[in-house]
Amino acid sequence: MRGRGAGSGAGTERGAGAGPPGGDPRDPAALRVVGLEKTFAGGDAPVRALRSVSAAFPRGGFTAVMGPSGSGKSTLLHCAAGLERPDAGTVLVDGRDVTRLAEPALTRMRAHAFGFVFQSFNLLPALTAEENITVGQRFAGVPVDAAWRDHLVRSLGLEGRLRHRPSELSGGQQQRVAIARALVHRPRVLFADEPTGNLDSRSGERVLQALRDAVSDHGRTVVMVTHDPVAAARADRVLFLRDGAVEGELADPAADSVLAWIRRLESL
């Protein structure tokens, strides 16, 4: 099965495209972005962060998003996840255009359909690991599936750590708590922004395996921004951005082929 290890093939290159937009919940893509545009005000001139970006993220697939600094990869993730609104374009989740949602409906969409893992963990320091895992559901008044929560705790190796507060956990343990929190409500799409950026190689590997298992064992859709070719090689494919535009993609990636792509983009 693809992605259980770091990947050994050279990968297959192809052009990236999202296909036609639509509102069909039978769309094989869990997430589809079409023609996204985003510009930020700059010091001397506006910065065009996204330039008509289109891409599809298949159900039960793991996509890594990569590119040089300033390529727009984090902006793409934030727009796709409803954390920022694009200036133009469409974001479809199971065929529903989330860019047209009013803020209360968008907040509900993020709470129920999406899970988030960030580089900085974002755990609440006064809560235990167990309380951090279920805090979103408790605030939303949604019952916690105890059997599913316990399965996540076991699969992430967090038994014996549930009563600890974040300050009593290692960085890798904190990130695994964050992953459990992101998955406990069974989101359609899990967004991960540099999830191994603050971790040592051993802790990072365990976090990547947890993301891989979310796809392979539980059918989640994972979209991960990363700068690390080894991390990207755990994905099913890599989407490359440069100067706010899609430059191409690599299927069945290996670390060496990802690195070659990055070097090519940085030399352009």
Side-chain angles (χ1 to χ4, degrees):
M1 184 178 292
R2 165 75 205 120
R4 290 290 183 179
S8 58
T12 303
E13 298 180 28
R14 61 177 181 266
D24 188 351
R26 297 168 298 177
D27 190 336
L31 171 70
R32 188 181 290 270
V33 300
V34 182
L36 290 190
E37 297 274 353
K38 184 68 176 180
T39 299
F40 296 103
D44 297 325
V47 177
R48 194 175 176 192
L50 297 178
R51 302 169 182 262
S52 192
V53 171
S54 295
F57 302 90
R59 299 178 193 274
F62 188 168
T63 300
V65 181
M66 301 190 76
S69 178
S71 61
K73 50 189 183 293
S74 288
T75 302
L76 171 60
L77 184 143
H78 292 167
C79 288
L83 299 174
E84 293 182 18
R85 290 190 183 269
D87 299 328
T90 302
V91 177
L92 298 169
V93 179
D94 289 337
R96 187 181 186 188
D97 183 359
V98 302
T99 64
R100 297 179 180 273
L101 297 178
E103 195 59 40
L106 181 59
T107 298
R108 289 192 296 272
M109 167 69 79
R110 288 195 299 261
H112 293 284
F114 298 155
F116 300 95
V117 180
F118 299 100
Q119 182 175 347
S120 57
F121 316 141
N122 289 345
L123 302 181
L124 296 177
L127 301 184
T128 65
E130 182 175 18
E131 291 166 340
N132 266 287
I133 290 170
T134 58
V135 65
Q137 290 182 292
R138 290 190 288 116
F139 275 134
V142 177
V144 176
D145 184 335
W148 173 240
R149 177 202 59 203
D150 292 346
H151 170 78
L152 289 173
V153 167
R154 288 192 301 272
S155 66
L156 290 165
L158 292 170
E159 309 101 313
R161 296 289 185 265
L162 294 181
R163 296 183 182 274
H164 291 66
R165 288 182 169 80
S167 62
E168 301 171 306
L169 301 173
S170 69
Q173 290 166 345
Q174 290 185 64
Q175 192 63 296
R176 281 181 274 141
V177 170
I179 291 173
R181 179 185 60 191
L183 290 172
V184 73
H185 62 291
R186 291 188 172 92
R188 294 181 183 86
V189 183
L190 176 63
F191 295 97
D193 195 353
E194 299 282 9
T196 62
N198 284 337
L199 305 179
D200 59 46
S201 58
R202 182 177 180 182
S203 297
E205 173 59 27
R206 193 157 191 179
V207 164
L208 290 170
Q209 186 61 51
L211 295 176
R212 184 69 251 177
D213 290 345
V215 174
S216 300
D217 296 345
H218 304 299
R220 302 301 96 184
T221 299
V222 173
V223 181
M224 176 181 71
V225 166
T226 183
H227 68 279
D228 183 357
V230 174
R234 300 303 296 269
D236 301 316
R237 65 160 184 166
V238 183
L239 186 71
F240 294 97
L241 301 184
R242 180 176 177 270
D243 294 335
V246 175
E247 196 72 24
E249 67 178 63
L250 181 67
D252 195 26
D256 56 352
S257 56
V258 173
L259 184 57
W261 250 97
I262 292 297
R263 286 173 173 167
R264 183 192 313 170
L265 291 179
E266 291 176 342
S267 68
L268 295 177

